[in-house]
Short mmCIF file of all heavy atoms in Angstrom, two decimals:
data_model
loop_
_atom_site.label_atom_id
_atom_site.label_comp_id
_atom_site.label_asym_id
_atom_site.label_seq_id
_atom_site.Cartn_x
_atom_site.Cartn_y
_atom_site.Cartn_z
N VAL R 2 67.83 77.26 -104.16
CA VAL R 2 67.95 78.45 -103.14
C VAL R 2 67.56 77.84 -101.85
O VAL R 2 66.47 77.33 -101.71
CB VAL R 2 66.85 79.55 -103.69
CG1 VAL R 2 66.84 80.64 -102.59
CG2 VAL R 2 67.26 80.10 -104.98
N GLU R 3 68.37 78.06 -100.91
CA GLU R 3 68.19 77.79 -99.50
C GLU R 3 67.23 78.69 -98.80
O GLU R 3 67.32 79.94 -98.89
CB GLU R 3 69.48 77.46 -98.75
CG GLU R 3 69.33 76.74 -97.44
CD GLU R 3 70.55 76.41 -96.83
OE1 GLU R 3 71.62 76.23 -97.61
OE2 GLU R 3 70.68 76.20 -95.61
N ILE R 4 66.33 78.01 -98.06
CA ILE R 4 65.36 79.02 -97.32
C ILE R 4 65.95 79.23 -95.96
O ILE R 4 66.35 78.32 -95.25
CB ILE R 4 63.99 78.38 -97.19
CG1 ILE R 4 63.39 78.10 -98.61
CG2 ILE R 4 63.01 79.13 -96.27
CD1 ILE R 4 62.19 77.33 -98.63
N ARG R 5 65.97 80.48 -95.47
CA ARG R 5 66.61 80.82 -94.32
C ARG R 5 65.96 80.13 -93.08
O ARG R 5 64.76 79.97 -93.07
CB ARG R 5 66.44 82.38 -94.10
CG ARG R 5 67.19 82.93 -92.96
CD ARG R 5 67.20 84.42 -92.82
NE ARG R 5 65.81 84.89 -92.65
CZ ARG R 5 65.26 86.06 -93.13
NH1 ARG R 5 66.02 86.80 -93.87
NH2 ARG R 5 64.10 86.43 -92.98
N TYR R 6 66.82 79.66 -92.19
CA TYR R 6 66.35 79.04 -90.94
C TYR R 6 65.25 79.94 -90.26
O TYR R 6 65.39 81.02 -90.07
CB TYR R 6 67.46 78.78 -90.03
CG TYR R 6 67.09 78.11 -88.86
CD1 TYR R 6 66.79 76.72 -88.93
CD2 TYR R 6 66.85 78.68 -87.63
CE1 TYR R 6 66.32 75.99 -87.74
CE2 TYR R 6 66.53 77.97 -86.43
CZ TYR R 6 66.29 76.64 -86.55
OH TYR R 6 65.80 76.00 -85.37
N GLY R 7 64.10 79.32 -89.94
CA GLY R 7 63.15 79.95 -89.06
C GLY R 7 61.87 80.41 -90.04
O GLY R 7 61.00 80.86 -89.47
N ILE R 8 62.24 80.42 -91.29
CA ILE R 8 61.03 80.83 -92.16
C ILE R 8 60.17 79.58 -92.31
O ILE R 8 60.59 78.54 -92.80
CB ILE R 8 61.61 81.25 -93.57
CG1 ILE R 8 62.52 82.44 -93.46
CG2 ILE R 8 60.40 81.54 -94.55
CD1 ILE R 8 61.88 83.64 -93.02
N PRO R 9 58.92 79.69 -92.02
CA PRO R 9 58.03 78.51 -92.14
C PRO R 9 57.65 78.23 -93.70
O PRO R 9 57.66 79.21 -94.47
CB PRO R 9 56.69 78.92 -91.33
CG PRO R 9 56.88 80.38 -90.90
CD PRO R 9 58.25 80.70 -91.29
N TYR R 10 57.46 76.94 -93.88
CA TYR R 10 57.09 76.55 -95.23
C TYR R 10 55.93 77.34 -95.84
O TYR R 10 55.93 77.74 -96.95
CB TYR R 10 56.81 75.07 -95.36
CG TYR R 10 56.29 74.54 -96.72
CD1 TYR R 10 57.10 74.72 -97.80
CD2 TYR R 10 54.94 74.18 -96.83
CE1 TYR R 10 56.58 74.29 -99.05
CE2 TYR R 10 54.56 73.75 -98.03
CZ TYR R 10 55.34 73.78 -99.13
OH TYR R 10 54.85 73.33 -100.43
N GLU R 11 54.93 77.60 -95.06
CA GLU R 11 53.71 78.37 -95.34
C GLU R 11 54.05 79.73 -95.97
O GLU R 11 53.57 80.11 -97.08
CB GLU R 11 52.67 78.46 -94.25
CG GLU R 11 52.17 77.21 -93.78
CD GLU R 11 51.11 76.62 -94.74
OE1 GLU R 11 50.40 77.26 -95.32
OE2 GLU R 11 51.19 75.38 -94.68
N TYR R 12 54.96 80.44 -95.33
CA TYR R 12 55.44 81.70 -95.72
C TYR R 12 56.19 81.67 -96.98
O TYR R 12 56.02 82.44 -97.92
CB TYR R 12 56.24 82.30 -94.62
CG TYR R 12 56.70 83.69 -94.86
CD1 TYR R 12 55.84 84.86 -94.73
CD2 TYR R 12 57.90 83.94 -95.45
CE1 TYR R 12 56.30 86.07 -95.04
CE2 TYR R 12 58.38 85.27 -95.80
CZ TYR R 12 57.51 86.35 -95.60
OH TYR R 12 57.89 87.50 -95.82
N ALA R 13 57.08 80.75 -97.03
CA ALA R 13 58.00 80.58 -98.36
C ALA R 13 57.14 80.28 -99.47
O ALA R 13 57.29 80.80 -100.61
CB ALA R 13 59.03 79.46 -97.97
N TRP R 14 56.16 79.36 -99.35
CA TRP R 14 55.25 78.88 -100.44
C TRP R 14 54.39 80.08 -100.82
O TRP R 14 54.50 80.40 -102.07
CB TRP R 14 54.22 77.74 -99.91
CG TRP R 14 53.20 77.56 -100.83
CD1 TRP R 14 51.92 78.04 -100.98
CD2 TRP R 14 53.30 76.58 -102.04
NE1 TRP R 14 51.25 77.46 -101.97
CE2 TRP R 14 52.06 76.69 -102.66
CE3 TRP R 14 54.32 75.78 -102.47
CZ2 TRP R 14 51.85 75.82 -103.73
CZ3 TRP R 14 54.14 75.05 -103.64
CH2 TRP R 14 52.92 75.07 -104.26
N GLU R 15 53.86 80.83 -99.96
CA GLU R 15 53.14 82.02 -100.38
C GLU R 15 54.02 83.11 -101.09
O GLU R 15 53.50 83.79 -102.08
CB GLU R 15 52.37 82.70 -99.22
CG GLU R 15 51.30 81.80 -98.59
CD GLU R 15 50.12 81.54 -99.60
OE1 GLU R 15 49.83 82.37 -100.38
OE2 GLU R 15 49.60 80.40 -99.52
N ALA R 16 55.19 83.21 -100.66
CA ALA R 16 56.00 84.20 -101.28
C ALA R 16 56.39 83.90 -102.64
O ALA R 16 56.40 84.69 -103.54
CB ALA R 16 57.32 84.42 -100.41
N VAL R 17 56.80 82.63 -102.87
CA VAL R 17 57.12 82.11 -104.17
C VAL R 17 55.92 82.17 -105.18
O VAL R 17 56.07 82.69 -106.27
CB VAL R 17 57.72 80.66 -104.17
CG1 VAL R 17 57.74 80.06 -105.58
CG2 VAL R 17 59.04 80.58 -103.41
N LEU R 18 54.83 81.84 -104.60
CA LEU R 18 53.57 81.86 -105.46
C LEU R 18 53.23 83.31 -105.84
O LEU R 18 52.91 83.60 -106.97
CB LEU R 18 52.45 81.24 -104.72
CG LEU R 18 51.15 81.13 -105.39
CD1 LEU R 18 51.31 80.29 -106.75
CD2 LEU R 18 50.07 80.43 -104.62
#
Side-chain angles (χ1 to χ4, degrees):
V2 177
E3 192 166 335
I4 297 172
R5 188 174 60 215
Y6 181 78
I8 301 292
Y10 172 65
E11 298 286 328
Y12 181 84
W14 172 265
E15 292 298 326
V17 168
L18 186 58

